[in-house]
Amino acid sequence: MAEAGPRAIRDDLFDAAFLGRVEQLALLARRMASSGQRAQRRTRKSGSGLEFADHREYTPGDDPRGIDWNLYARSERLNLKQYEEEEDLSVWFLLDRSSSMTMAPEGVPTLFDRALQVTAALSYISLSNLDRVAVVPFGETIAPPMRPLRGRNQFFRILRALSALEPGGKTAIRGALEAFERHQPRRGLVLLLSDFYDPTGLGDGLRHLSIRGYEPMVLQLCDRSLLDPQLWGDLAMVDVETGEVREMTLTPALMAKYRKAFEAFSAEVERAAREVGARYLQVDVSTPFDEVVMKVFRAGGFLG
Amino acid sequence: MTPSGLYTDWQQWLLLAAPVLGALALLYLLRPRRRRVEVPFGGLWQRVLQESEARVLGKQWRRILSFVLLAALAGLLLASLAEPMFTKAPVAVDARAVPHTVIVVDTSASMASASGASTRLQEAILAVEKLVDAAPAPARFLLLAASSHTRVLSGWGAERPALKEALRRLQPTSAGLDLQRAHEAAGQALAGRAQPRIVLVSDGGRPQVAFDVPAQPPLQHVWVGPARPAAEAAQKRGAASPSATAGELLPSGLANLAVEQVRVRPDAGDPSRGTLTVRVRNDGRGAVAAQLLIAGSGTAQTVGDFERDEALRRLHELDLPPGSSSHDIPGLDLSAPRIGVRVRPRPVSDGTLANDVAAYDDWGFAVLAERKEIRVLLVGPRNLFLEASLHASDRIRVGARDGAEGVLPASAYDATRFSAVDRGRHGIDVVILNQVDLPLPDGTPGLVLQLPAPATLTAATPGAKPLPPVQYAEAPELAVRAGDHPLMRGVSFQDANFDKVRVLRPQPGDTVLAIARPSSPVMVARQQGVRRVEWGLDLDETDLGGRYAMPILVDNAIAWLVGEDEPLVTPIEPGRPWAVEAPVSGLRWTYHEPGQLPRPARVSGTQLLGASEAHGIHVWRADDGREVARPTALPATEQPGDVGARGEPWRPLPPILRSGERLAALPAWALLLLVAAAALALEWGLYLRRRTL
């Protein structure tokens, strides 16, 4: 995605109350981190950090400044001191912008809007935590990822980028994740926000992402009010993405089957996430975004 | 199937399929639309539907039923493209098991009657078509049209289109029904064939010959016309044939008027005018205001010819009581020898005609006899009144063609000279012997006015039985004894006086024309052999010669003696073979059948032979210009209201269809419509059920 230009920020989503709530969440997140969780995330990569990690045998070409002379005095062997290198965490928000994310009864926010709010809130928290943050919308395909932003002062650029997003099109998760990986962005946390209404499924894409070293986290957005529609009789169901029409006679029994089918579908999504060690959360659209953020925190792994 | 048959069936099925398909298309367009609802993920619904429909038995059944109905509809539509006949085994039919049916359709005159929109013959055609359609496909039919004779319309075959085509060409005739002949023809056609059966489709018009139906082949009646309800009721009761009297079966409010007889009596002394006597019949239950249209023509042969304006001579209005009644129309112009009379209900105020059940019997025809010249030889003492009476007629010539004197004294008379053998030479047609005791020429008819008896009678030969004495009646009162005889037509003795008359002795077979009261024959006509008329009169002993009756008596006698006793030629009956006497032999004759092109006539000697079922005036014309014309009179059996007892026993027979073929008897289009309607109803019911969920 190209960086957002000087566009307006959507007031309906990111108003002052939202910003205040986000700030509170950031404070809450820091408190949670100090109580047991680390605020920064460290990589396993050895480097020039301050904290000793291990020794390794010296080989020619290594920087001699790193030789542990004390050890050499005891063992007469040349070893280099290894330090854990502190590295910025990259957080990629892969945001589903397909048409199915816009489905919502009247008076209920759409999945897309809720996803935008959650993304914004988590972005603010990540930026506050000095992580690098990028928002990558996807549908059938994906645009070149934006350059990750760092620092809290970049938050409004994130908001402008989110406000500029227009939903539409189909969902093709596997293709989108493969395209995302081909752009070889920095490894990091990939937060997938989607309803995952993809006939091809989620498993292959997640597996591909995991193999490439990314740490995926699955946030399934759903609207449970759609599971209990007040519609009966002969209907022509039109797929909002593909336009396919399926004629059916909707009965209470059929609706119950649909609910069961949805639960089975959600289970499939969760199973696909668990198979690659990804964390999985299912969030109803009616859930306030701050609760969603807290759920994400409780799921763990989001903050260092 | 022949190409023409295929074409015909295509047309029929397209006509049937078009409204059905139109209705289906309309229902499809008007069907309630489903509400469109957008869903985020149709694939999820697809899973639900697949699982649901695959598992629910009722839905599975519905899918199967819909499929079966659609398949049935498609199959029927496809089957209708071919010949839509239902058969269990159209191929490899055992010829010995194929039923053979002769269908005899009554085409007699009464089948032209119409009680409603269609004639009885049209009803019969429909009945036969139904019967043929309902029969099993391999069944073979022979179609006969029966009236006075029997014609084969369609030979043995199973092709329905050809048979129906032949049916549609049927026309009613003006002849009666010779059921005996038709039955014999059908029996001959069925000889040696499997499962023989005769089906007679008729209005029940009385057959000319009553007969018992033989045991084989079985005969089944299919009734049409007003007799059908009674016949069907009788069939249900297992009773004998239905019976009804004439007129009873005519629907109430309908009438049928018919001309039964047309007669003409030329006026005495002026044969160019005369009195027309028409006997008409009212088959209805009440009196009918009617009209008589009298037309005359010298050339007309058919109803259409007489309906021309120039042929119309007289229009009479009269009220006709139920049954037959005679009506005299005097003073009719007889200058045209052919007369047509039509009776019809009187037009009502708006010009329309009242309903007349049958039109074929509304016309009657008559042809005046040719009034040829008659040569008369008068032998005996001259008598002024007798000669004046002879000269009063414009067609009587006194005298021979060879110049012989017309009035001869007894001494100059030679009977052998005027024999019939030499008539071509002398031309004498009638000899009048007045007061002379001489023989008539051989073969020549004569009028004999008897001599007064001699004073004494002696035996002709010695020892012979003496002749009976001649009797006289003094100052007698004469009375006409045979008023209907042509000789006495228009004759009255009321104003005549007789001093003395001779009492005659008629021989067996003679007709006593007049008597001297109380019962003495004085005028006798002998019809056996050569015609002869005897008057026991001496014209000098009576003033009859000066009375009006004298020329009438003479004219009647001369006409009767030459065979022209009837002013009208004898009518012939349509459909019956006839032999019409030709005036001379050796000529080539052409037959002009009413409504047909002329064709050479069949001649045997002096007989013109033939048979026709046309109603009108039949004409034979010789190449020398001579003409013979004969009108037709409809057979009395062909009255539209006479559908009475037929004479043969009623035999309830099993229907042609066997019980297992009942379903197949349904017309294909009806079955198609039934299935389509059932499918629509079922689909509609399912839709309503869904709407109420």
PDB file of all heavy atoms in Angstrom, chain A residues 103 197 232 234-240 246-249 251, chain B residues 34-42 45-46 49 52 690 693:
ATOM      1  N   MET A 103     -20.667  -6.187   5.386  1.00  0.00           N
ATOM      2  CA  MET A 103     -22.029  -6.646   5.671  1.00  0.00           C
ATOM      3  C   MET A 103     -22.374  -6.404   7.129  1.00  0.00           C
ATOM      4  O   MET A 103     -21.654  -6.845   8.028  1.00  0.00           O
ATOM      5  CB  MET A 103     -22.145  -8.135   5.378  1.00  0.00           C
ATOM      6  CG  MET A 103     -21.970  -8.497   3.923  1.00  0.00           C
ATOM      7  SD  MET A 103     -23.307  -7.877   2.917  1.00  0.00           S
ATOM      8  CE  MET A 103     -24.669  -8.749   3.647  1.00  0.00           C
ATOM      9  N   TYR A 197     -13.847 -15.331   5.081  1.00  0.00           N
ATOM     10  CA  TYR A 197     -14.817 -15.959   4.176  1.00  0.00           C
ATOM     11  C   TYR A 197     -14.148 -16.165   2.819  1.00  0.00           C
ATOM     12  O   TYR A 197     -14.340 -15.401   1.864  1.00  0.00           O
ATOM     13  CB  TYR A 197     -16.064 -15.081   4.025  1.00  0.00           C
ATOM     14  CG  TYR A 197     -16.941 -15.084   5.246  1.00  0.00           C
ATOM     15  CD1 TYR A 197     -17.704 -13.972   5.586  1.00  0.00           C
ATOM     16  CD2 TYR A 197     -17.039 -16.220   6.036  1.00  0.00           C
ATOM     17  CE1 TYR A 197     -18.529 -13.977   6.679  1.00  0.00           C
ATOM     18  CE2 TYR A 197     -17.854 -16.225   7.157  1.00  0.00           C
ATOM     19  CZ  TYR A 197     -18.588 -15.113   7.480  1.00  0.00           C
ATOM     20  OH  TYR A 197     -19.395 -15.116   8.578  1.00  0.00           O
ATOM     21  N   TRP A 232     -37.550 -15.386   6.418  1.00  0.00           N
ATOM     22  CA  TRP A 232     -38.073 -16.726   6.214  1.00  0.00           C
ATOM     23  C   TRP A 232     -38.674 -16.835   4.819  1.00  0.00           C
ATOM     24  O   TRP A 232     -38.949 -15.843   4.167  1.00  0.00           O
ATOM     25  CB  TRP A 232     -39.149 -17.066   7.259  1.00  0.00           C
ATOM     26  CG  TRP A 232     -38.708 -16.770   8.656  1.00  0.00           C
ATOM     27  CD1 TRP A 232     -39.192 -15.804   9.469  1.00  0.00           C
ATOM     28  CD2 TRP A 232     -37.680 -17.424   9.389  1.00  0.00           C
ATOM     29  NE1 TRP A 232     -38.542 -15.809  10.678  1.00  0.00           N
ATOM     30  CE2 TRP A 232     -37.592 -16.807  10.657  1.00  0.00           C
ATOM     31  CE3 TRP A 232     -36.803 -18.468   9.108  1.00  0.00           C
ATOM     32  CZ2 TRP A 232     -36.708 -17.195  11.626  1.00  0.00           C
ATOM     33  CZ3 TRP A 232     -35.911 -18.856  10.075  1.00  0.00           C
ATOM     34  CH2 TRP A 232     -35.868 -18.220  11.324  1.00  0.00           C
ATOM     35  N   ASP A 234     -39.080 -18.183   0.798  1.00  0.00           N
ATOM     36  CA  ASP A 234     -38.273 -18.342  -0.418  1.00  0.00           C
ATOM     37  C   ASP A 234     -37.370 -17.135  -0.596  1.00  0.00           C
ATOM     38  O   ASP A 234     -37.849 -15.993  -0.697  1.00  0.00           O
ATOM     39  CB  ASP A 234     -39.183 -18.487  -1.639  1.00  0.00           C
ATOM     40  CG  ASP A 234     -39.860 -19.831  -1.658  1.00  0.00           C
ATOM     41  OD1 ASP A 234     -39.344 -20.748  -0.991  1.00  0.00           O
ATOM     42  OD2 ASP A 234     -40.897 -19.954  -2.329  1.00  0.00           O
ATOM     43  N   LEU A 235     -36.098 -17.395  -0.653  1.00  0.00           N
ATOM     44  CA  LEU A 235     -35.125 -16.320  -0.771  1.00  0.00           C
ATOM     45  C   LEU A 235     -34.133 -16.663  -1.865  1.00  0.00           C
ATOM     46  O   LEU A 235     -33.930 -17.829  -2.197  1.00  0.00           O
ATOM     47  CB  LEU A 235     -34.366 -16.121   0.542  1.00  0.00           C
ATOM     48  CG  LEU A 235     -35.210 -15.768   1.761  1.00  0.00           C
ATOM     49  CD1 LEU A 235     -34.341 -15.774   3.003  1.00  0.00           C
ATOM     50  CD2 LEU A 235     -35.869 -14.414   1.584  1.00  0.00           C
ATOM     51  N   ALA A 236     -33.555 -15.631  -2.400  1.00  0.00           N
ATOM     52  CA  ALA A 236     -32.437 -15.808  -3.323  1.00  0.00           C
ATOM     53  C   ALA A 236     -31.214 -15.199  -2.644  1.00  0.00           C
ATOM     54  O   ALA A 236     -31.118 -13.983  -2.498  1.00  0.00           O
ATOM     55  CB  ALA A 236     -32.727 -15.121  -4.649  1.00  0.00           C
ATOM     56  N   MET A 237     -30.336 -16.061  -2.188  1.00  0.00           N
ATOM     57  CA  MET A 237     -29.153 -15.608  -1.465  1.00  0.00           C
ATOM     58  C   MET A 237     -28.086 -15.188  -2.476  1.00  0.00           C
ATOM     59  O   MET A 237     -27.662 -16.001  -3.312  1.00  0.00           O
ATOM     60  CB  MET A 237     -28.618 -16.740  -0.591  1.00  0.00           C
ATOM     61  CG  MET A 237     -29.622 -17.211   0.452  1.00  0.00           C
ATOM     62  SD  MET A 237     -29.923 -15.969   1.703  1.00  0.00           S
ATOM     63  CE  MET A 237     -30.684 -16.950   2.986  1.00  0.00           C
ATOM     64  N   VAL A 238     -27.681 -13.948  -2.373  1.00  0.00           N
ATOM     65  CA  VAL A 238     -26.681 -13.432  -3.312  1.00  0.00           C
ATOM     66  C   VAL A 238     -25.367 -13.252  -2.553  1.00  0.00           C
ATOM     67  O   VAL A 238     -25.306 -12.526  -1.554  1.00  0.00           O
ATOM     68  CB  VAL A 238     -27.137 -12.093  -3.909  1.00  0.00           C
ATOM     69  CG1 VAL A 238     -26.136 -11.627  -4.952  1.00  0.00           C
ATOM     70  CG2 VAL A 238     -28.510 -12.245  -4.529  1.00  0.00           C
ATOM     71  N   ASP A 239     -24.344 -13.930  -3.026  1.00  0.00           N
ATOM     72  CA  ASP A 239     -23.017 -13.770  -2.423  1.00  0.00           C
ATOM     73  C   ASP A 239     -22.527 -12.370  -2.749  1.00  0.00           C
ATOM     74  O   ASP A 239     -22.404 -11.992  -3.925  1.00  0.00           O
ATOM     75  CB  ASP A 239     -22.058 -14.822  -2.985  1.00  0.00           C
ATOM     76  CG  ASP A 239     -20.757 -14.859  -2.207  1.00  0.00           C
ATOM     77  OD1 ASP A 239     -20.158 -13.785  -2.032  1.00  0.00           O
ATOM     78  OD2 ASP A 239     -20.349 -15.958  -1.795  1.00  0.00           O
ATOM     79  N   VAL A 240     -22.231 -11.606  -1.735  1.00  0.00           N
ATOM     80  CA  VAL A 240     -21.902 -10.199  -1.957  1.00  0.00           C
ATOM     81  C   VAL A 240     -20.568 -10.047  -2.688  1.00  0.00           C
ATOM     82  O   VAL A 240     -20.321  -9.023  -3.321  1.00  0.00           O
ATOM     83  CB  VAL A 240     -21.899  -9.446  -0.606  1.00  0.00           C
ATOM     84  CG1 VAL A 240     -20.681  -9.835   0.227  1.00  0.00           C
ATOM     85  CG2 VAL A 240     -21.938  -7.941  -0.808  1.00  0.00           C
ATOM     86  N   ARG A 246     -28.069 -18.292  -4.839  1.00  0.00           N
ATOM     87  CA  ARG A 246     -28.526 -19.610  -4.404  1.00  0.00           C
ATOM     88  C   ARG A 246     -29.951 -19.459  -3.897  1.00  0.00           C
ATOM     89  O   ARG A 246     -30.187 -18.733  -2.930  1.00  0.00           O
ATOM     90  CB  ARG A 246     -27.621 -20.174  -3.295  1.00  0.00           C
ATOM     91  CG  ARG A 246     -26.253 -20.548  -3.799  1.00  0.00           C
ATOM     92  CD  ARG A 246     -25.366 -20.980  -2.671  1.00  0.00           C
ATOM     93  NE  ARG A 246     -24.048 -21.383  -3.160  1.00  0.00           N
ATOM     94  CZ  ARG A 246     -23.069 -20.528  -3.474  1.00  0.00           C
ATOM     95  NH1 ARG A 246     -23.259 -19.235  -3.338  1.00  0.00           N
ATOM     96  NH2 ARG A 246     -21.918 -20.977  -3.938  1.00  0.00           N
ATOM     97  N   GLU A 247     -30.865 -20.132  -4.585  1.00  0.00           N
ATOM     98  CA  GLU A 247     -32.270 -20.038  -4.186  1.00  0.00           C
ATOM     99  C   GLU A 247     -32.542 -21.090  -3.118  1.00  0.00           C
ATOM    100  O   GLU A 247     -32.102 -22.235  -3.226  1.00  0.00           O
ATOM    101  CB  GLU A 247     -33.172 -20.271  -5.390  1.00  0.00           C
ATOM    102  CG  GLU A 247     -33.077 -19.151  -6.417  1.00  0.00           C
ATOM    103  CD  GLU A 247     -34.107 -19.281  -7.508  1.00  0.00           C
ATOM    104  OE1 GLU A 247     -34.717 -20.352  -7.586  1.00  0.00           O
ATOM    105  OE2 GLU A 247     -34.300 -18.320  -8.262  1.00  0.00           O
ATOM    106  N   MET A 248     -33.260 -20.689  -2.134  1.00  0.00           N
ATOM    107  CA  MET A 248     -33.552 -21.615  -1.046  1.00  0.00           C
ATOM    108  C   MET A 248     -34.790 -21.144  -0.300  1.00  0.00           C
ATOM    109  O   MET A 248     -35.262 -20.013  -0.499  1.00  0.00           O
ATOM    110  CB  MET A 248     -32.369 -21.695  -0.087  1.00  0.00           C
ATOM    111  CG  MET A 248     -32.118 -20.403   0.656  1.00  0.00           C
ATOM    112  SD  MET A 248     -30.661 -20.522   1.659  1.00  0.00           S
ATOM    113  CE  MET A 248     -29.392 -20.597   0.420  1.00  0.00           C
ATOM    114  N   THR A 249     -35.280 -22.041   0.457  1.00  0.00           N
ATOM    115  CA  THR A 249     -36.409 -21.726   1.325  1.00  0.00           C
ATOM    116  C   THR A 249     -35.900 -21.749   2.758  1.00  0.00           C
ATOM    117  O   THR A 249     -35.541 -22.804   3.289  1.00  0.00           O
ATOM    118  CB  THR A 249     -37.528 -22.758   1.148  1.00  0.00           C
ATOM    119  OG1 THR A 249     -37.901 -22.783  -0.223  1.00  0.00           O
ATOM    120  CG2 THR A 249     -38.722 -22.394   1.981  1.00  0.00           C
ATOM    121  N   THR A 251     -35.897 -21.774   6.474  1.00  0.00           N
ATOM    122  CA  THR A 251     -36.764 -22.248   7.551  1.00  0.00           C
ATOM    123  C   THR A 251     -35.975 -22.193   8.854  1.00  0.00           C
ATOM    124  O   THR A 251     -34.730 -22.089   8.838  1.00  0.00           O
ATOM    125  CB  THR A 251     -37.208 -23.688   7.293  1.00  0.00           C
ATOM    126  OG1 THR A 251     -36.038 -24.513   7.290  1.00  0.00           O
ATOM    127  CG2 THR A 251     -37.900 -23.820   5.945  1.00  0.00           C
TER     128      THR A 251
ATOM    129  N   ARG B  34     -38.597 -14.502  -5.839  1.00  0.00           N
ATOM    130  CA  ARG B  34     -37.959 -14.688  -4.534  1.00  0.00           C
ATOM    131  C   ARG B  34     -37.301 -13.379  -4.105  1.00  0.00           C
ATOM    132  O   ARG B  34     -36.792 -12.639  -4.934  1.00  0.00           O
ATOM    133  CB  ARG B  34     -36.900 -15.784  -4.627  1.00  0.00           C
ATOM    134  CG  ARG B  34     -37.476 -17.168  -4.872  1.00  0.00           C
ATOM    135  CD  ARG B  34     -36.377 -18.149  -5.140  1.00  0.00           C
ATOM    136  NE  ARG B  34     -36.909 -19.483  -5.393  1.00  0.00           N
ATOM    137  CZ  ARG B  34     -37.034 -20.418  -4.461  1.00  0.00           C
ATOM    138  NH1 ARG B  34     -36.634 -20.167  -3.223  1.00  0.00           N
ATOM    139  NH2 ARG B  34     -37.525 -21.597  -4.745  1.00  0.00           N
ATOM    140  N   ARG B  35     -37.317 -13.164  -2.831  1.00  0.00           N
ATOM    141  CA  ARG B  35     -36.615 -11.990  -2.302  1.00  0.00           C
ATOM    142  C   ARG B  35     -35.112 -12.209  -2.411  1.00  0.00           C
ATOM    143  O   ARG B  35     -34.610 -13.292  -2.139  1.00  0.00           O
ATOM    144  CB  ARG B  35     -37.007 -11.768  -0.838  1.00  0.00           C
ATOM    145  CG  ARG B  35     -38.273 -10.961  -0.694  1.00  0.00           C
ATOM    146  CD  ARG B  35     -38.503 -10.621   0.747  1.00  0.00           C
ATOM    147  NE  ARG B  35     -38.754 -11.818   1.540  1.00  0.00           N
ATOM    148  CZ  ARG B  35     -38.788 -11.839   2.878  1.00  0.00           C
ATOM    149  NH1 ARG B  35     -38.565 -10.722   3.547  1.00  0.00           N
ATOM    150  NH2 ARG B  35     -39.043 -12.944   3.528  1.00  0.00           N
ATOM    151  N   ARG B  36     -34.433 -11.181  -2.811  1.00  0.00           N
ATOM    152  CA  ARG B  36     -32.976 -11.287  -2.938  1.00  0.00           C
ATOM    153  C   ARG B  36     -32.351 -10.751  -1.649  1.00  0.00           C
ATOM    154  O   ARG B  36     -32.650  -9.641  -1.203  1.00  0.00           O
ATOM    155  CB  ARG B  36     -32.475 -10.479  -4.130  1.00  0.00           C
ATOM    156  CG  ARG B  36     -32.977 -11.041  -5.465  1.00  0.00           C
ATOM    157  CD  ARG B  36     -32.609 -10.134  -6.604  1.00  0.00           C
ATOM    158  NE  ARG B  36     -31.179 -10.091  -6.833  1.00  0.00           N
ATOM    159  CZ  ARG B  36     -30.512 -10.957  -7.603  1.00  0.00           C
ATOM    160  NH1 ARG B  36     -31.183 -11.895  -8.228  1.00  0.00           N
ATOM    161  NH2 ARG B  36     -29.210 -10.872  -7.767  1.00  0.00           N
ATOM    162  N   VAL B  37     -31.498 -11.547  -1.092  1.00  0.00           N
ATOM    163  CA  VAL B  37     -30.827 -11.182   0.160  1.00  0.00           C
ATOM    164  C   VAL B  37     -29.326 -11.360  -0.034  1.00  0.00           C
ATOM    165  O   VAL B  37     -28.881 -12.417  -0.486  1.00  0.00           O
ATOM    166  CB  VAL B  37     -31.319 -12.078   1.318  1.00  0.00           C
ATOM    167  CG1 VAL B  37     -30.561 -11.738   2.601  1.00  0.00           C
ATOM    168  CG2 VAL B  37     -32.804 -11.897   1.518  1.00  0.00           C
ATOM    169  N   GLU B  38     -28.597 -10.324   0.277  1.00  0.00           N
ATOM    170  CA  GLU B  38     -27.149 -10.416   0.154  1.00  0.00           C
ATOM    171  C   GLU B  38     -26.573 -11.080   1.407  1.00  0.00           C
ATOM    172  O   GLU B  38     -26.986 -10.775   2.542  1.00  0.00           O
ATOM    173  CB  GLU B  38     -26.545  -9.025  -0.025  1.00  0.00           C
ATOM    174  CG  GLU B  38     -26.813  -8.452  -1.407  1.00  0.00           C
ATOM    175  CD  GLU B  38     -26.000  -7.194  -1.645  1.00  0.00           C
ATOM    176  OE1 GLU B  38     -25.642  -6.534  -0.648  1.00  0.00           O
ATOM    177  OE2 GLU B  38     -25.718  -6.872  -2.813  1.00  0.00           O
ATOM    178  N   VAL B  39     -25.671 -11.985   1.157  1.00  0.00           N
ATOM    179  CA  VAL B  39     -25.012 -12.674   2.273  1.00  0.00           C
ATOM    180  C   VAL B  39     -23.509 -12.527   2.094  1.00  0.00           C
ATOM    181  O   VAL B  39     -23.013 -12.416   0.968  1.00  0.00           O
ATOM    182  CB  VAL B  39     -25.402 -14.164   2.307  1.00  0.00           C
ATOM    183  CG1 VAL B  39     -26.866 -14.329   2.624  1.00  0.00           C
ATOM    184  CG2 VAL B  39     -25.086 -14.848   1.003  1.00  0.00           C
ATOM    185  N   PRO B  40     -22.748 -12.511   3.179  1.00  0.00           N
ATOM    186  CA  PRO B  40     -21.305 -12.297   3.053  1.00  0.00           C
ATOM    187  C   PRO B  40     -20.592 -13.496   2.423  1.00  0.00           C
ATOM    188  O   PRO B  40     -19.556 -13.315   1.780  1.00  0.00           O
ATOM    189  CB  PRO B  40     -20.857 -12.058   4.490  1.00  0.00           C
ATOM    190  CG  PRO B  40     -21.913 -12.674   5.336  1.00  0.00           C
ATOM    191  CD  PRO B  40     -23.182 -12.528   4.583  1.00  0.00           C
ATOM    192  N   PHE B  41     -21.124 -14.691   2.650  1.00  0.00           N
ATOM    193  CA  PHE B  41     -20.377 -15.852   2.186  1.00  0.00           C
ATOM    194  C   PHE B  41     -21.365 -16.908   1.707  1.00  0.00           C
ATOM    195  O   PHE B  41     -21.916 -17.671   2.503  1.00  0.00           O
ATOM    196  CB  PHE B  41     -19.513 -16.385   3.342  1.00  0.00           C
ATOM    197  CG  PHE B  41     -18.575 -17.469   2.911  1.00  0.00           C
ATOM    198  CD1 PHE B  41     -17.970 -17.452   1.663  1.00  0.00           C
ATOM    199  CD2 PHE B  41     -18.276 -18.513   3.759  1.00  0.00           C
ATOM    200  CE1 PHE B  41     -17.095 -18.444   1.274  1.00  0.00           C
ATOM    201  CE2 PHE B  41     -17.395 -19.523   3.382  1.00  0.00           C
ATOM    202  CZ  PHE B  41     -16.810 -19.481   2.128  1.00  0.00           C
ATOM    203  N   GLY B  42     -21.597 -16.918   0.427  1.00  0.00           N
ATOM    204  CA  GLY B  42     -22.548 -17.865  -0.127  1.00  0.00           C
ATOM    205  C   GLY B  42     -22.092 -19.305   0.013  1.00  0.00           C
ATOM    206  O   GLY B  42     -22.913 -20.231   0.038  1.00  0.00           O
ATOM    207  N   TRP B  45     -23.686 -21.052   2.874  1.00  0.00           N
ATOM    208  CA  TRP B  45     -25.055 -21.471   2.602  1.00  0.00           C
ATOM    209  C   TRP B  45     -25.078 -22.698   1.689  1.00  0.00           C
ATOM    210  O   TRP B  45     -25.948 -23.557   1.823  1.00  0.00           O
ATOM    211  CB  TRP B  45     -25.835 -20.329   1.958  1.00  0.00           C
ATOM    212  CG  TRP B  45     -26.205 -19.254   2.930  1.00  0.00           C
ATOM    213  CD1 TRP B  45     -25.655 -18.030   3.048  1.00  0.00           C
ATOM    214  CD2 TRP B  45     -27.202 -19.343   3.944  1.00  0.00           C
ATOM    215  NE1 TRP B  45     -26.233 -17.313   4.057  1.00  0.00           N
ATOM    216  CE2 TRP B  45     -27.207 -18.119   4.632  1.00  0.00           C
ATOM    217  CE3 TRP B  45     -28.087 -20.336   4.357  1.00  0.00           C
ATOM    218  CZ2 TRP B  45     -28.048 -17.851   5.688  1.00  0.00           C
ATOM    219  CZ3 TRP B  45     -28.938 -20.058   5.409  1.00  0.00           C
ATOM    220  CH2 TRP B  45     -28.901 -18.834   6.066  1.00  0.00           C
ATOM    221  N   GLN B  46     -24.144 -22.724   0.798  1.00  0.00           N
ATOM    222  CA  GLN B  46     -24.090 -23.878  -0.101  1.00  0.00           C
ATOM    223  C   GLN B  46     -23.851 -25.157   0.680  1.00  0.00           C
ATOM    224  O   GLN B  46     -24.470 -26.190   0.415  1.00  0.00           O
ATOM    225  CB  GLN B  46     -22.982 -23.664  -1.131  1.00  0.00           C
ATOM    226  CG  GLN B  46     -22.899 -24.744  -2.187  1.00  0.00           C
ATOM    227  CD  GLN B  46     -24.148 -24.803  -3.062  1.00  0.00           C
ATOM    228  OE1 GLN B  46     -24.819 -23.797  -3.248  1.00  0.00           O
ATOM    229  NE2 GLN B  46     -24.455 -26.000  -3.545  1.00  0.00           N
ATOM    230  N   LEU B  49     -27.072 -26.089   2.371  1.00  0.00           N
ATOM    231  CA  LEU B  49     -28.058 -26.655   1.451  1.00  0.00           C
ATOM    232  C   LEU B  49     -27.699 -28.074   1.055  1.00  0.00           C
ATOM    233  O   LEU B  49     -28.559 -28.955   0.983  1.00  0.00           O
ATOM    234  CB  LEU B  49     -28.161 -25.776   0.200  1.00  0.00           C
ATOM    235  CG  LEU B  49     -28.840 -24.429   0.404  1.00  0.00           C
ATOM    236  CD1 LEU B  49     -28.809 -23.636  -0.892  1.00  0.00           C
ATOM    237  CD2 LEU B  49     -30.277 -24.620   0.841  1.00  0.00           C
ATOM    238  N   SER B  52     -28.328 -30.266   3.980  1.00  0.00           N
ATOM    239  CA  SER B  52     -29.740 -30.339   4.326  1.00  0.00           C
ATOM    240  C   SER B  52     -30.512 -31.170   3.320  1.00  0.00           C
ATOM    241  O   SER B  52     -31.239 -32.099   3.653  1.00  0.00           O
ATOM    242  CB  SER B  52     -30.308 -28.923   4.402  1.00  0.00           C
ATOM    243  OG  SER B  52     -31.674 -28.979   4.645  1.00  0.00           O
ATOM    244  N   ARG B 690     -44.338 -23.355   1.140  1.00  0.00           N
ATOM    245  CA  ARG B 690     -43.110 -22.639   1.494  1.00  0.00           C
ATOM    246  C   ARG B 690     -43.419 -21.223   1.934  1.00  0.00           C
ATOM    247  O   ARG B 690     -42.805 -20.689   2.837  1.00  0.00           O
ATOM    248  CB  ARG B 690     -42.178 -22.616   0.281  1.00  0.00           C
ATOM    249  CG  ARG B 690     -41.592 -23.952  -0.101  1.00  0.00           C
ATOM    250  CD  ARG B 690     -40.428 -23.763  -1.011  1.00  0.00           C
ATOM    251  NE  ARG B 690     -40.804 -23.149  -2.264  1.00  0.00           N
ATOM    252  CZ  ARG B 690     -41.159 -23.833  -3.355  1.00  0.00           C
ATOM    253  NH1 ARG B 690     -41.179 -25.147  -3.304  1.00  0.00           N
ATOM    254  NH2 ARG B 690     -41.475 -23.230  -4.457  1.00  0.00           N
ATOM    255  N   LEU B 693     -44.315 -20.850   5.606  1.00  0.00           N
ATOM    256  CA  LEU B 693     -43.360 -21.200   6.652  1.00  0.00           C
ATOM    257  C   LEU B 693     -42.941 -19.963   7.443  1.00  0.00           C
ATOM    258  O   LEU B 693     -42.828 -18.888   6.877  1.00  0.00           O
ATOM    259  CB  LEU B 693     -42.129 -21.844   6.028  1.00  0.00           C
ATOM    260  CG  LEU B 693     -42.306 -23.307   5.632  1.00  0.00           C
ATOM    261  CD1 LEU B 693     -41.085 -23.778   4.887  1.00  0.00           C
ATOM    262  CD2 LEU B 693     -42.534 -24.152   6.850  1.00  0.00           C
TER     263      LEU B 693
END
